[in-house]
Amino acid sequence: MQTTWREDHVEVGGRRVRCHGAGSGEALVQVGGDLTPAHDLLARGRRVIVLDGPDLHPPAVLGAASALGIDAFDLLATAAGADIAQQTVLTEPGRVRALVLESPAARPMPAVGAPVLVVVGTEAGPTAAETGRAFRRELPNCHLVFVYAAGPAVARQRPEAFVEVVSDFLERHEQFIVSRRDSALLP
Amino acid sequence: MKAALFNIVPYLGQAERTSWPAPGRAYDPEVAQRSTELALEQFQLADELGFDWVTLAEHHFAPLSLTPNPMVMAGAVTQRVRRARIALLGATIPILNPVRVAEEFAMLDTLTGGRVVAGMLRGTANEYVTYDVNPAESRARFEEAMALIVRAWTEPEPFGWQGRYYRFRTVSIWPRPVQRPHPPIYMSGSSPEAGEFAARHHLSIGLAFTTLPLARAATEHYRACARSHGWEPAPDDVLYRVTAHVAESDDEALEDLRGAGADTPRRGFSLSNRRLDDAAAGAGYYGRDAAAQRGRIEAQGRPMAERIEAGQLLAGGPDTVLAQARRIRDELGAGILELVFQPMGREKTLRAIELFGRSVLPSLSMD
């Protein structure tokens, strides 16, 4: 099934923020970054908005979401985008349901109380793993998941693995550790 | 050179040995208890004699071995072996739950104060039937399982694992290994793929059910790959497993072996069900040099004199066996000689272990 992405612009505080959108349902907003096969998969079950721009900051993220008619949303960020994403949560905690950070390259902000999922590739190197651990240790409500055989670009390299864990987490938050897999083989 | 005593814990009674799986109809629990106790007795003796390691393995559904879970046996061995390392060569990780394997190794490392050697193997082709795992997935499952086990041992924070074959939402094992960062890992180095993987991940290799020429080719490949990854394996990174018998004289040793039926052709464990092995081979179990790997296993069936010449059997008085052991060390650069003493009744086997320990091991240890 082909996912159709619509390119759009929204006005926030007199500035244009470019965005790509696809899908319908609960909103997942990504701060910067490229479209990957994982985004196509994510857009099958939710409304995905990827914000683009050289100087995204928390008011721009929150304003863009409002301009698109989105009140509460899940937030996804990669690498250094983890910094803006955490600040966005801290700016209006009530609007961000959960936060997903792919290979974060930022310091954890312990005041972030929202459910957080940190995804790190097993081939991303010791610094990426250590940063993931720091988030797990310092945020009150954080889960760390290693994606096997992926480097820093987890969503690009292992899209199915990335989407499976992210979707489950966004749907169930910390309860995602309880398996719902049906293991019955035969009636 | 270090010495290891390997005991597969064979069932020492009458049983169907030419098919796999072997039927349990003639199974006698008393024989099994005696067989297990004899193995424990040998391990304890080896420890007292100064053997560096004692070694267990995992095999299923046959009288060949009574340790389908070597972790359980190793738990008993920890109470008898107070000094030597306890090696499991290995856990057949592609058919097991890797988190459970990590926990069990960590328990054993705790029980022994850090004397566990963690062998991780693919096992023989028939093992995949045991727990209904597709042998075509063996190597990929092996590589992922090992990565997960090492992660479980070393990761200080609870973590989830999103693999290809394994998925766990949260892992944080207790107890954790005593050895840091983790127990030494050995894997089979017989196939080229295995040697390359071991070299890439700085792992040690073991060579079993092979011949000196095949082992030399495998070792050279492993060392060359290691060099290309910027490291040089130490002698202890290469283990060679060989059947052995030691008596007072060469003549006596050979006579003992003939009496124990060691000169009659044997079939490898996995080849005792040829159709099953063919099916596994067809699924791609053996990798890119399948013919050589299957030939390596079939080479176990040769006559005694040829097996001695090919480095598959150490046999003789202490001086002869010392020379045979040194030949393996010199030809392979192997630092660990793992001995499978030919079963031939309790007294003779214990005597062979004792002769090796008192008359061969001291010289070998000085080398």
Side-chain angles (χ1 to χ4, degrees):
Chain A
M1 190 176 69
Q2 191 68 35
T3 305
T4 308
W5 290 90
R6 296 172 304 277
E7 188 177 342
D8 205 350
H9 295 87
V10 288
E11 295 287 333
V12 183
R15 277 197 309 195
R16 279 160 66 90
V17 176
R18 196 163 70 109
C19 61
H20 287 83
S24 61
E26 302 274 16
L28 170 65
V29 175
Q30 174 160 335
V31 185
D34 301 327
L35 291 178
T36 71
H39 292 82
D40 290 346
L41 297 173
L42 285 168
R44 290 182 190 174
R46 59 192 73 242
R47 180 182 180 191
V48 180
I49 307 288
V50 179
L51 301 177
D52 201 5
D55 49 5
L56 280 175
H57 48 71
V61 174
L62 292 161
S66 300
L68 291 163
I70 298 164
D71 181 26
F73 54 92
D74 297 311
L75 192 55
L76 173 62
T78 187
D83 207 53
I84 300 155
Q86 291 182 93
Q87 289 175 37
T88 303
V89 177
L90 295 177
T91 305
E92 280 196 50
R95 289 186 66 189
V96 179
R97 287 188 299 256
L99 179 60
V100 175
L101 303 174
E102 177 201 46
S103 311
R107 288 179 186 281
M109 300 177 187
V112 171
V116 179
L117 174 67
V118 172
V119 180
V120 174
T122 56
E123 307 301 315
T127 306
E130 190 47 50
T131 306
R133 267 174 223 130
F135 274 84
R136 175 67 180 78
R137 203 167 46 235
E138 293 178 32
L139 299 192
N141 195 3
C142 178
H143 288 264
L144 169 64
V145 171
F146 289 103
V147 177
Y148 175 65
V154 181
R156 181 172 298 285
Q157 291 175 331
R158 294 210 53 218
E160 297 85 357
F162 180 80
V163 170
E164 193 277 334
V165 68
V166 168
S167 300
D168 197 19
F169 180 75
L170 292 180
E171 188 183 333
R172 301 199 286 153
H173 296 168
E174 55 268 50
Q175 290 180 355
F176 87 134
I177 66 170
V178 180
S179 177
R180 290 190 302 188
R181 192 173 1 179
D182 182 357
S183 64
L185 293 173
L186 300 165
Chain B
M1 192 178 206
K2 294 187 172 75
L5 178 81
F6 173 66
N7 197 321
I8 205 165
V9 194
Y11 177 80
L12 301 171
Q14 294 299 314
E16 170 64 60
R17 288 174 198 275
T18 54
S19 65
W20 189 96
R25 63 181 87 94
Y27 179 83
D28 181 343
E30 270 183 43
V31 171
Q33 287 174 60
R34 211 162 51 239
S35 305
T36 305
E37 181 54 37
L38 186 63
L40 289 170
E41 191 179 16
Q42 291 180 8
F43 285 138
Q44 185 169 341
L45 175 64
D47 188 43
E48 289 162 3
L49 288 167
F51 279 68
D52 300 278
W53 294 13
V54 299
T55 313
L56 292 158
E58 172 177 340
H59 291 292
H60 300 264
F61 292 179
L64 172 88
S65 172
L66 298 177
T67 56
N69 185 343
M71 306 287 192
V72 173
M73 185 67 174
V77 174
T78 62
Q79 301 306 298
R80 302 278 194 105
V81 168
R82 299 299 182 174
R83 184 196 47 78
R85 282 184 169 274
I86 298 174
L88 292 97
L89 301 178
T92 305
I93 57 172
I95 65 170
L96 303 173
N97 177 331
V99 175
R100 178 68 175 230
V101 172
E103 290 176 326
E104 289 176 340
F105 272 132
M107 283 179 71
L108 290 171
D109 212 36
T110 303
L111 280 164
T112 58
R115 285 183 288 123
V116 158
V117 174
M120 300 189 204
L121 301 180
R122 291 169 64 215
T124 52
N126 51 316
E127 317 289 6
Y128 289 78
V129 177
T130 310
Y131 295 154
D132 197 29
V133 174
N134 182 348
E137 295 178 344
S138 164
R139 200 174 297 280
R141 288 177 71 99
F142 173 82
E143 294 182 1
E144 183 181 336
M146 186 182 289
L148 173 50
I149 290 166
V150 171
R151 180 73 66 178
W153 281 338
T154 55
E155 188 57 46
E157 297 297 325
F159 67 95
W161 183 265
Q162 192 77 346
R164 290 201 174 96
Y165 296 96
Y166 306 102
R167 182 178 68 188
F168 294 94
R169 284 292 189 243
T170 191
V171 177
S172 184
I173 68 163
W174 286 69
R176 304 169 73 81
V178 172
Q179 299 174 86
R180 296 295 173 90
H182 55 70
I185 298 173
Y186 280 72
M187 60 177 281
S188 169
S190 292
S191 71
E193 290 94 336
E196 289 153 21
F197 182 85
R200 190 162 70 246
H201 294 275
H202 286 235
L203 306 174
S204 309
I205 60 166
L207 302 158
F209 303 111
T210 186
T211 64
L212 262 181
L214 287 170
R216 192 164 53 236
T219 314
E220 282 168 5
H221 183 62
Y222 165 64
R223 290 187 196 282
C225 292
R227 276 193 290 276
S228 75
H229 288 285
W231 69 289
E232 188 70 46
D236 280 4
D237 287 317
V238 178
L239 170 148
Y240 185 78
R241 179 182 296 171
V242 62
T243 304
H245 182 61
V246 193
E248 304 291 347
S249 70
D250 291 359
D251 287 347
E252 189 187 333
L254 296 176
E255 192 52 40
D256 286 346
L257 284 164
R258 277 189 284 271
D263 56 343
T264 54
R266 300 184 306 142
R267 270 189 295 185
F269 178 47
S270 64
L271 294 183
S272 57
N273 186 337
R274 186 81 207 192
R275 278 180 299 179
L276 187 158
D277 199 71
D278 287 346
Y285 176 79
Y286 286 106
R288 69 177 189 253
D289 69 340
Q293 292 306 316
R294 298 182 86 188
R296 174 175 70 78
I297 296 164
E298 281 175 337
Q300 302 304 307
R302 299 193 293 190
M304 207 159 74
E306 283 182 37
R307 291 175 61 214
I308 291 173
E309 179 52 33
Q312 294 174 292
L313 176 64
L314 307 186
D319 291 347
T320 301
V321 168
L322 178 61
Q324 290 167 344
R326 283 178 168 155
R327 178 179 161 220
I328 290 168
R329 179 204 60 198
D330 294 343
E331 290 203 19
L332 299 182
I336 300 167
L337 182 68
E338 190 183 55
L339 300 154
V340 187
F341 281 89
Q342 174 74 39
M344 51 179 60
R346 179 176 175 277
E347 299 306 327
K348 270 193 176 155
T349 310
L350 289 174
R351 179 70 185 140
I353 294 168
E354 191 166 353
L355 269 174
F356 187 93
R358 296 206 194 286
S359 306
V360 181
L361 189 52
S363 303
L364 206 58
S365 304
M366 305 279 272
D367 290 350

